[in-house]
Amino acid sequence: MTPPLVPVAHGSRDPRSAATVRGLVERVRAQAADLEVYESFLDLSEPRVTDVLRRLYEQGHRSAVVVPLLLGSAFHARVDLPALVTEVQGECPGFDVRVSDVLGVDPVLEEVALDRLAGAGLGLGDGVVVSAVGSSNAGANAAVADLAARWEADLDLPVTEAFASAAQPDVPAAVARLRERGVRRVVVASWFLAPGLLPDRIAALAREADRGVFLAEPLGTDPRVAAAVLRRYDGAVLKVPAQ
C-alpha cells in the first residue's frame, strides 16, 4: 500500500494561514491524483498531525510520510514534530511514520520568492530585505543569511536578512543597513509560506521604517511549492528505514 502523504504546517490563529495551507495541499493532490494526501498542523489549527496519523492507523494504514511545510530546520522540525510522531508510534504498534526533510532553502522555492519579489516591483537600484520568521537555532538563521548573500550576488543589488522574532537584525535594523549603503527604495521579500501574524508584523515594521516600502507576497500555493512537497515525500519513501 502506498504510504499516505501528511503535509504538516505550524498552524496559526490567523485563518488566512490555514486556508493557504489547504490551498497548497489541493495543489499537491492535483499533481499526484493517485496519492492520499491529508493536511495537518502542529498547533493552533485543525486537524492536528497526531489526530491525522491516529486516524490513518485506525483505517488500516501501517505507514505514512509526514512532510514538514517549514522553510527552516529549527525547534519545530528538530524537537516538536519528532516528539509527536514518537507519541503516535508508541500508541500504534507497527506504524512506520517517516518524516521527510523540511522544505527549507530549496532552489525552486527561491525561484518562487524571487518571482514574488519581481511582482512587488523590484527595480534597478533597489535594496532587498529578505524577511523570515527567526529562530533560536543559529543554523536556521544562518541559512536565511546565506540566501540573502546569494541573492545579492545574483541580483547585483544590496540585500540583507531580517527576522520577525528571536533573532537579529529585525526589520528596522535591516532597513537602516540598506540606507547606510545608499539604497533609496526598499522591497521586502517574504520567506514565509503563508500570510499570518508574523508576516503582518514584518509588514507593519517595514512601513514604520519606510512609508514607501514595497512588500512581496508569501510563497503561497504556487504549483512549484506543491512539487517540492512531493519531492520531499519521494525522498522519504525511498530512504531505507533505520535498522
Side-chain angles (χ1 to χ4, degrees), residues 171-173 175-176 179 203-213:
V171 173
V175 172
R179 293 287 184 229
L205 289 170
R207 291 190 180 103
E208 287 178 13
D210 180 352
R211 294 181 66 179
V213 71

Side-chain angles (χ1 to χ4, degrees), residues 38-243:
Y38 303 91
E39 71 268 18
S40 68
F41 301 89
L42 289 172
D43 197 10
L44 302 173
S45 301
E46 296 291 340
R48 302 292 176 84
V49 64
T50 47
D51 294 334
V52 171
L53 291 173
R54 289 186 186 104
R55 185 167 66 248
L56 290 173
Y57 186 80
E58 290 168 359
Q59 292 172 352
H61 290 280
R62 291 300 177 263
S63 63
V65 174
V66 175
V67 176
L69 302 181
L70 302 171
L71 299 181
S73 181
F75 187 84
H76 296 305
R78 294 172 180 268
V79 179
D80 277 352
L81 183 55
L84 293 172
V85 168
T86 298
E87 173 189 322
V88 171
Q89 289 180 305
E91 301 169 5
C92 303
F95 197 13
D96 176 18
V97 180
R98 302 187 190 184
V99 180
S100 80
D101 293 335
V102 299
L103 294 180
V105 182
D106 183 295
V108 172
L109 301 187
E110 288 190 53
E111 180 183 284
V112 176
L114 287 168
D115 285 350
R116 299 283 187 268
L117 196 59
L122 181 68
L124 189 66
D126 292 344
V128 177
V129 174
V130 181
S131 66
V133 61
S135 171
S136 58
N137 182 285
N141 299 329
V144 178
D146 290 345
L147 182 152
R150 187 161 56 252
W151 285 12
E152 175 158 329
D154 292 345
L155 297 172
D156 195 24
L157 294 172
V159 181
T160 188
E161 70 277 11
F163 300 103
S165 63
Q168 290 295 323
D170 59 13
V171 173
V175 172
R177 280 184 181 182
L178 294 177
R179 293 287 184 229
E180 290 170 359
R181 298 177 64 183
V183 168
R184 297 180 63 85
R185 192 173 74 158
V186 175
V187 186
V188 178
S190 179
W191 195 242
F192 287 90
L193 186 65
L197 301 179
L198 290 181
D200 283 355
R201 181 188 300 175
I202 290 282
L205 289 170
R207 291 190 180 103
E208 287 178 13
D210 180 352
R211 294 181 66 179
V213 71
F214 287 71
L215 299 163
E217 294 294 322
L219 304 182
T221 61
D222 191 285
R224 290 169 289 181
V225 182
V229 173
L230 288 169
R231 286 196 299 276
R232 298 297 181 276
Y233 170 87
D234 290 341
V237 169
L238 294 173
K239 192 178 295 183
V240 176
Q243 299 297 317

